[in-house]
Amino acid sequence: MANLFRKEGLQCNEKGVRHVIDVSILFYESSIILLYKLISLQKIKYLIIMENTVLERNYNEIISYIEKYKNNVSQTNAKEVIDSFKEEWVNSIDDMFIGEKYGEALIVYSAGVFELETLSTVEVELLSEKIKFFDENESIKYKLGIKTTLFINLAQCWYRLGDKYKKNIIDSIKKYIYYSICISYNTSYSPSAYKFRTCNKYLYQSLINESIGLTSPGYFNDPFDSPILELLNNDEDFSQYIRQAYNEGLKVSCFSSNIKLPREETHTHQVINNEEKLKGALPEYLNELMWAHYADSHKGVCIKYHFPNSFTKFVDNSDGVTCFFNDVTYSDSDISQYSNKDSINMKDAFFLKGKQWEYENELRLLYFDVNGREGYKVIKAENCIEAVYFGLRCSEEDKTTIMNILKDKKLITIDLRKKQTESPIKFYQMEVDKEHFGQVKAIDISPKTICSKKNEIMLQAAEANKDYKETYVH
């Protein structure tokens, strides 16, 4: 028994020794790992200090560069301005604050390139690469003011090289316009709006595809629509490049809405909703002039849309597209005055029309694409149709075709709590309002309404037949 005990004790001791050895090995390994970690932390700390040192040095150099040459670039010192711009500064661009200052320095650099007495393609291509890198950096995505200046400067540099760089000139101007628009308009809305259309294959196609067509303002029936084009109505070559950039990139679709978009009151900063444009105006679908001018004298239709907030689109470097709504304002001043001006604010540029068009109560959808081409543009507008109003003279064939196209489509609305609601599209027939001379009214002819009316008539007939039978029996 004692021998067995001693044997077990030895075993325990041996196990104990092994355990101690194992622990020692683990401790040794842990110490090595900890040492490596400490060294790594020191390296990281050192790298952070070095990085901060580099950032600080770059920042100070960039600030000195800006202070020295800002508003002081000429043909005399242009080469000095270019040579003083350090390539390593770009390595600090990921720091948002330094990135912004780098952009300001790049503006000075671009001015130096433009002022060179002899300008070569190499210098402009190098400037273009620097601007492209700055433009695509996520940390400075919203430095739009800097970007507008950079791209108009780049366009001027390409312009100095001559007409063979026409595409480069126009592409740079488009980026300038894109960022200029994004600076001025960055609020999304969810408006209801009406569009009067002629019944034709283009209407049918847009209903089938649930899309909206947009066109360049140069094709509008009002020659003074979008005064920006009047501003550029001169013989200067560079103005003509800007005009072409607008014609290619800018597209517009026009709607009617009696209610102004929400706005913030200047003094109180309160948001004003549901403000009427013209006091006492009839509902949009009762606007006789709109029916006459845009719906083929009542042979066409009026479509009511309800657009979600997501329909608008702002700064996105990946595709260079912006899309948003804004109310048109009307003026009785001479809009041709803009051809004699050097500049124009964004609101007047795109959303000003003559007073004679005020009856339209226009809500304008503006779409700009840096990769756009002149002509017609189609964009998706799925589940946005709320109702269709058929004109007094709209043919039965057109009505049947449109109702068949839209029979399985829905209006989808999303409230502030992200709750989604589906509704069937409603249909109305315009009829002469015999109680009000010169006016029309809308009669609901939606399929469910028609069915319910038929049922009502059948029930009335059945009741009448029942009464007749009861009377006959008696």
Side-chain angles (χ1 to χ4, degrees):
M1 188 79 175
N3 291 335
L4 181 61
F5 179 80
R6 283 196 295 274
K7 188 176 182 181
E8 287 178 351
L10 287 171
Q11 288 176 348
C12 288
N13 287 337
E14 288 172 2
K15 287 181 180 177
V17 170
R18 281 198 294 272
H19 178 68
V20 171
I21 292 171
D22 290 344
V23 169
S24 300
I25 292 169
L26 287 171
F27 179 74
Y28 174 74
E29 290 175 348
S30 299
S31 300
I32 296 296
I33 291 168
L34 181 60
L35 183 61
Y36 275 121
K37 284 185 177 179
L38 286 171
I39 293 170
S40 298
L41 285 171
Q42 287 296 322
K43 282 184 177 179
I44 291 168
K45 187 177 179 181
Y46 174 74
L47 290 172
I48 288 171
I49 292 169
M50 288 298 294
E51 185 181 357
N52 287 338
T53 304
V54 171
L55 286 174
E56 185 177 356
R57 186 183 70 241
N58 284 345
Y59 174 74
N60 290 331
E61 289 177 354
I62 289 169
I63 293 299
S64 298
Y65 178 84
I66 294 169
E67 289 176 350
K68 184 176 181 179
Y69 296 115
K70 188 177 182 181
N71 301 322
N72 186 33
V73 181
S74 65
Q75 198 172 89
T76 307
N77 70 347
K79 191 173 186 311
E80 178 189 330
V81 170
I82 293 169
D83 292 341
S84 299
F85 187 91
K86 294 187 177 181
E87 294 297 325
E88 59 263 31
W89 291 346
V90 75
N91 297 326
S92 304
I93 200 173
D94 289 333
D95 181 284
M96 187 171 66
F97 184 69
I98 300 178
E100 180 179 3
K101 292 303 174 184
Y102 175 84
E104 292 176 13
L106 194 53
I107 289 173
V108 176
Y109 175 87
S110 68
V113 174
F114 178 78
E115 289 291 346
L116 283 171
E117 186 175 357
T118 304
L119 184 60
S120 71
T121 306
V122 174
E123 274 114 358
V124 182
E125 285 177 343
L126 184 60
L127 171 63
S128 180
E129 288 174 11
K130 292 179 188 299
I131 292 174
K132 184 175 184 291
F133 186 82
F134 179 84
D135 182 39
E136 293 175 350
N137 190 283
E138 279 294 312
S139 66
I140 43 180
K141 181 176 182 177
Y142 297 106
K143 302 302 176 184
L144 308 184
I146 293 174
K147 292 181 180 184
T148 57
T149 305
L150 284 173
F151 279 106
I152 197 63
N153 286 1
L154 179 60
Q156 293 276 10
C157 290
W158 284 118
Y159 177 67
R160 273 198 62 192
L161 294 176
D163 193 57
K164 67 178 180 178
Y165 294 99
K166 180 178 179 179
K167 184 180 184 307
N168 303 79
I169 299 168
I170 292 173
D171 286 348
S172 300
I173 293 172
K174 283 180 182 177
K175 293 286 278 189
Y176 158 73
I177 296 169
Y178 170 70
Y179 287 124
S180 297
I181 292 173
C182 290
I183 288 173
S184 301
Y185 298 96
N186 50 25
T187 305
S188 61
Y189 300 102
S190 180
S192 289
Y194 296 77
K195 195 169 187 68
F196 291 82
R197 298 286 305 271
T198 297
C199 290
N200 52 34
K201 64 179 182 180
Y202 303 110
L203 170 64
Y204 298 152
Q205 199 66 43
S206 69
L207 296 177
I208 291 168
N209 297 331
E210 294 187 271
S211 60
I212 287 175
L214 305 98
T215 191
S216 300
Y219 295 103
F220 287 177
N221 54 359
D222 177 11
F224 298 110
D225 200 305
S226 298
I228 183 65
L229 300 180
E230 185 63 24
L231 173 67
L232 300 169
N233 189 21
N234 56 60
D235 296 328
E236 293 180 9
D237 288 342
F238 196 71
S239 291
Q240 294 310 306
Y241 286 126
I242 298 176
R243 188 182 181 92
Q244 184 170 340
Y246 272 110
N247 280 333
E248 291 182 5
L250 179 68
K251 302 292 183 288
V252 171
S253 191
C254 304
F255 300 85
S256 182
S257 176
N258 290 349
I259 304 299
K260 291 181 181 180
L261 293 173
R263 65 181 180 87
E264 187 179 276
E265 209 280 326
T266 309
H267 302 294
T268 64
H269 300 291
Q270 289 184 328
V271 177
I272 300 174
N273 293 298
N274 301 318
E275 183 182 3
E276 289 184 309
K277 293 178 182 177
L278 293 173
K279 300 295 181 184
L282 291 170
E284 294 87 344
Y285 57 85
L286 297 181
N287 191 323
E288 278 296 292
L289 288 175
M290 295 296 286
W291 279 107
H293 293 166
Y294 299 105
D296 196 16
S297 298
H298 265 287
K299 296 188 190 107
V301 297
C302 171
I303 303 172
K304 182 181 181 182
Y305 291 92
H306 183 86
F307 297 101
N309 279 304
S310 58
F311 194 74
T312 51
K313 183 176 175 61
F314 299 110
V315 182
D316 185 348
N317 291 349
S318 63
D319 61 4
V321 170
T322 183
C323 178
F324 61 93
F325 290 98
N326 203 72
D327 290 315
V328 168
T329 55
Y330 301 92
S331 171
D332 54 8
S333 61
D334 182 10
I335 296 181
S336 62
Q337 65 179 294
Y338 289 104
S339 59
N340 302 317
K341 289 189 175 184
D342 295 326
S343 62
I344 187 172
N345 66 62
M346 241 356 119
K347 187 169 181 62
D348 287 352
F350 303 117
F351 303 103
L352 180 68
K353 293 182 72 170
K355 196 76 172 176
Q356 66 271 26
W357 300 98
E358 193 169 20
Y359 71 89
E360 294 182 345
N361 280 339
E362 185 177 337
L363 174 67
R364 180 164 289 188
L365 175 66
L366 187 143
Y367 178 97
F368 190 87
D369 181 2
V370 296
N371 300 309
R373 291 292 175 260
E374 193 168 351
Y376 200 67
K377 174 70 180 179
V378 174
I379 60 174
K380 295 295 286 183
E382 294 178 325
N383 307 117
C384 291
I385 295 178
E386 184 174 337
V388 178
Y389 299 81
F390 297 107
L392 289 171
R393 300 188 184 96
C394 187
S395 70
E396 289 300 322
E397 182 182 354
D398 286 330
K399 281 190 279 189
T400 302
T401 301
I402 291 169
M403 292 178 81
N404 282 336
I405 290 171
L406 298 176
K407 66 182 180 180
D408 295 324
K409 300 187 186 297
K410 304 281 186 184
L411 168 70
I412 296 179
T413 55
I414 302 173
D415 63 19
L416 295 174
R417 296 180 179 178
K418 305 297 182 183
K419 181 184 177 183
Q420 184 172 297
T421 304
E422 292 188 8
S423 307
I425 297 171
K426 288 186 166 292
F427 298 94
Y428 297 88
Q429 175 62 56
M430 303 308 297
E431 293 184 358
V432 173
D433 187 349
K434 295 179 181 178
E435 296 180 3
H436 300 90
F437 179 75
Q439 293 185 21
V440 291
K441 61 182 180 180
I443 306 299
D444 192 345
I445 60 167
S446 302
K448 286 184 179 179
T449 306
I450 294 170
C451 290
S452 61
K453 283 184 177 179
K454 284 183 178 179
N455 290 338
E456 187 181 336
I457 292 168
M458 289 173 68
L459 284 170
Q460 288 175 351
E463 287 294 326
N465 190 38
K466 179 183 175 184
D467 291 342
Y468 171 77
K469 286 181 178 178
E470 288 176 352
T471 305
Y472 180 78
V473 169
H474 289 292

